[in-house]
Amino acid sequence: MMSNLPRKSDINVYGTLEEIDAVRDFYGKTREEIYQVLLTDYECLQEELAFMGSVAFTYYAPAWERLFAAFPTIDETDDVTRWTKCIITCRCFDLENETQESIAALRRMLSLCEAFYHSQACRKYYTERYMLPDLEKEQDECAKLHALLYPAS
């Protein structure tokens, strides 16, 4: 795992608006600094994380992963899980340009989503708040991402 902070060129590879924003919000910041921002407003950085360069994504992904243990309510965990699926989905559109390390980070993130959606607490939450078909839809989306990240050889 990369120990040095990502360079601007690690964050902004293609010059997209999301990468330009990611340079503004991530460049020069440690994982811990990004984690502290994520704790207060994870929605503000999820799109930048989804589109930043592969090297930078690999560096910052552990800060996002920590969110799964950070929130005390199932509502917040459900939100983080949905945003995580968005990040994974966006990055899967360009898997051939991902590094092995960034694919490993995506797999770790997906396993956190899968664990949440298959937990008893989540089943109870969806039974009380939504409907079980909504939970099954979330589980199906995870299965599709799983197939992309773990292709049959």
Side-chain angles (χ1 to χ4, degrees), residues 25-26 29-38 60 63:
D25 294 332
F26 284 80
K29 294 188 174 98
T30 65
R31 276 187 212 100
E32 185 59 32
E33 289 170 316
I34 291 299
Y35 175 69
Q36 292 304 317
V37 173
L38 290 171
Y60 290 113

Side-chain angles (χ1 to χ4, degrees), residues 1-2 7 9-10 13-14 52-61 91-92 94-108 148-149:
M1 180 178 282
M2 173 189 240
R7 301 170 304 200
S9 61
D10 294 327
V13 176
Y14 301 108
M52 69 173 46
S54 184
V55 171
F57 171 77
T58 301
Y59 178 82
Y60 290 113
R91 297 200 72 87
C92 281
D94 196 24
L95 267 181
E96 64 272 0
N97 288 316
E98 294 290 341
T99 63
Q100 290 303 312
E101 293 84 3
S102 66
I103 290 172
L106 289 168
R107 288 174 174 168
R108 284 192 313 272
L148 288 172
L149 292 172

Side-chain angles (χ1 to χ4, degrees), residues 105-123:
L106 289 168
R107 288 174 174 168
R108 284 192 313 272
M109 292 168 92
L110 180 60
S111 71
L112 292 167
C113 294
E114 291 169 330
F116 174 70
Y117 285 130
H118 288 91
S119 70
Q120 287 298 334
C122 183
R123 178 170 280 288

